[in-house]
Each structure stands twice: as C-alpha cells, then as structure tokens.
Amino acid sequence: MEEKKNAPITEPLTNERDIEQAIEAILFAAGYPVRYDKLAEVLGLAVKDVKNITKKMAAHFEEDETYHGILLLLYPTTCQLTTKEQYAPYIREALGIRRGGNLSASSMEVLAVVAYNQPVTRSFVDLVRGVDSSYAVSSLLDKGLIEAAGRLDAPGRPMLYVTTDKFLRVFGINSLDELPETEALSVAAAQTEQAETAEKTEEELALEADESTLPKADYTEAVDSAETDVIFENGVSAPIEN
C-alpha cells in the first residue's frame, strides 16, 4: 500500500512535558517568530492548545528561580525565543556583533503614526507629518517594521500599512495595547478633519454660507419631556394634551 503523500512523518506527542520541549526546540532552531498554527499542525494540536502551552512556558521563563537567560515572547499569531535584554552587551561582545544604527527621527515619526492609527495610507502619514514620507516608509518596509496590508477602497486604491510582529519585538512589547498613551490619535484626527474640510466643493461651502444667513425663528425650544409645556413663537405656552 502506498504511503499518503501528506502523512505526518513524526509521532504524535501525548506528554505535556514532551510537547513543551518540542516547542522549545522548534523555536530555538528557528531563531525567528513561528506561527501558532504551524506549531499546532506539526504537533497535532489545536491552535488554542498551543497558545495555552506557550503562555505557560513564557511565564516559566520569566520566573526568577528558573535562572534563564532567554524569554518566550508571545504575539497575536506567532511566538519566539529571544535573549533577555540585560545580556545584550555580553552577547555582542562574545559574538563580535556591532550595534545596529538607530532609526532616524523621520522614520520614528512615521512609525508612530502607523502604530497609533493603523491601517493607514502613505498620504495619511504625509498629512499628519506635513511632509513627504516616501523615503521613511520605504526604509521601514525594508527593515520589516511595517508591511502592506491591502488597499483602501477609494479612488486610486492606495496601499494600507500596518506594523509587524518585528515592530513589537524590537520595542519590547507583546501587543499594540501596550503602547503608551499619546496625543498622536487626536492630532491625526484633527489633521484628517482639516483635510476633509479642505476637500469640500464650492457648492457645499456656498450652501453652508446660505444656511448660516437664514433668519432664526424667535421661539424657545421645549425640552423633550411629556410634562413640558409647548412654547409657541408668540411666547404663549399651552399644556400638552394626553
């Protein structure tokens, strides 16, 4: 009998400790974030079970009495083994790794706009910053800190950009919910409102001007309540009849 082409080549693991060690071995060998669904496929588990196991493993790595120099970072769709930040100088010295260059101020600005307002178009980023952001967006794409995530359903169908798991990893957070509070959102909203106002047609502006010059009726509005008298233009009130 011929063996099925898609038949698994590994034996299913039933012991939880074996499963944890297998996950640790896979992540260590990979050296990059691995998707939960891929781990689930290899280990013959449900994705939710893999997430629960990795969450337990991550907590174990952070316990002081375990004396680990590594951490298990958990992201929405992936997880990764990484070294603890305090040992970075020793790692660079031992492996002869030069410190990487920092992001430029313009790249940091673009990254902040994307992170707090994603998904966004490049024109939105330009609007918030007030300058062209083409080079900074291209640089962040090359570094893998942002990525394209479809197109906006609008004329020209501009590309939408979002941050990546690498962005979370570089800045030491597990999700966007951990971003510090900032006024970036309010600034972006104000800029967007200004842009929408600037795009109004001359007819709309003329109509608004006409409406603003219309005479206002000389009456007092009644409060929306069943017990309130109706106030007419001549100032005479009459009780509401049931």
Side-chain angles (χ1 to χ4, degrees):
M1 180 181 294
E2 292 186 4
E3 185 179 352
K4 294 182 179 179
K5 293 182 179 180
N6 296 326
I9 60 174
T10 56
E11 293 292 332
L13 300 174
T14 56
N15 184 282
E16 184 174 349
R17 177 171 295 183
D18 290 337
I19 293 173
E20 290 181 1
Q21 292 179 351
I23 291 175
E24 182 177 343
I26 293 170
L27 297 178
F28 177 82
Y32 54 80
V34 179
R35 295 182 61 87
Y36 295 117
D37 54 4
K38 183 61 178 179
L39 292 172
E41 177 187 346
V42 171
L43 299 172
L45 300 173
V47 173
K48 65 177 182 179
D49 293 332
V50 171
K51 287 186 175 182
N52 289 334
I53 293 172
T54 52
K55 184 177 181 180
K56 178 181 176 182
M57 293 173 61
H60 174 71
F61 279 119
E62 292 180 356
E63 293 175 357
D64 292 336
E65 58 270 21
T66 58
Y67 303 105
H68 285 294
I70 58 176
L71 291 173
L72 176 53
L73 300 181
L74 307 178
Y75 303 110
T77 59
T78 63
C79 58
Q80 180 185 14
L81 279 179
T82 183
T83 56
K84 290 183 177 179
E85 183 179 2
Q86 61 265 38
Y87 303 122
Y90 303 97
I91 296 171
R92 286 196 294 266
E93 182 69 21
L95 303 181
I97 300 173
R98 294 189 303 171
R99 182 184 294 273
N102 295 325
L103 291 174
S104 64
S106 59
S107 292
M108 285 296 293
E109 288 178 3
V110 171
L111 196 54
V113 174
V114 176
Y116 283 96
N117 300 278
Q118 57 187 305
V120 297
T121 61
R122 203 203 73 199
S123 60
F124 177 87
V125 177
D126 292 345
L127 181 64
V128 174
R129 298 185 63 233
V131 295
D132 182 81
S133 305
S134 302
Y135 179 81
V137 169
S138 178
S139 176
L140 292 172
L141 285 170
D142 291 340
K143 289 179 171 63
L145 297 175
I146 65 173
E147 64 183 358
R151 295 183 178 276
L152 182 66
D153 187 13
R157 295 184 58 78
M159 190 70 71
L160 290 167
Y161 297 102
V162 298
T163 55
T164 63
D165 284 349
K166 183 177 180 180
F167 162 78
L168 300 177
R169 189 165 67 255
V170 167
F171 285 89
I173 57 178
N174 293 321
S175 72
L176 295 174
D177 295 334
E178 297 181 21
L179 286 172
E181 294 184 3
T182 178
E183 296 181 358
L185 287 174
S186 59
V187 171
Q191 294 280 4
T192 303
E193 184 178 352
Q194 291 177 6
E196 291 176 350
T197 302
E199 291 175 355
K200 289 183 178 180
T201 63
E202 294 182 0
E203 291 78 4
E204 289 175 326
L205 294 174
L207 180 60
E208 290 179 0
D210 291 341
E211 290 177 349
S212 64
T213 57
L214 291 176
K216 297 182 179 180
D218 186 17
Y219 71 95
T220 304
E221 281 188 323
V223 178
D224 187 11
S225 172
E227 298 179 355
T228 305
D229 293 344
V230 175
I231 308 299
F232 296 97
E233 292 185 9
N234 58 9
V236 179
S237 63
I240 297 177
E241 297 182 359
N242 295 326

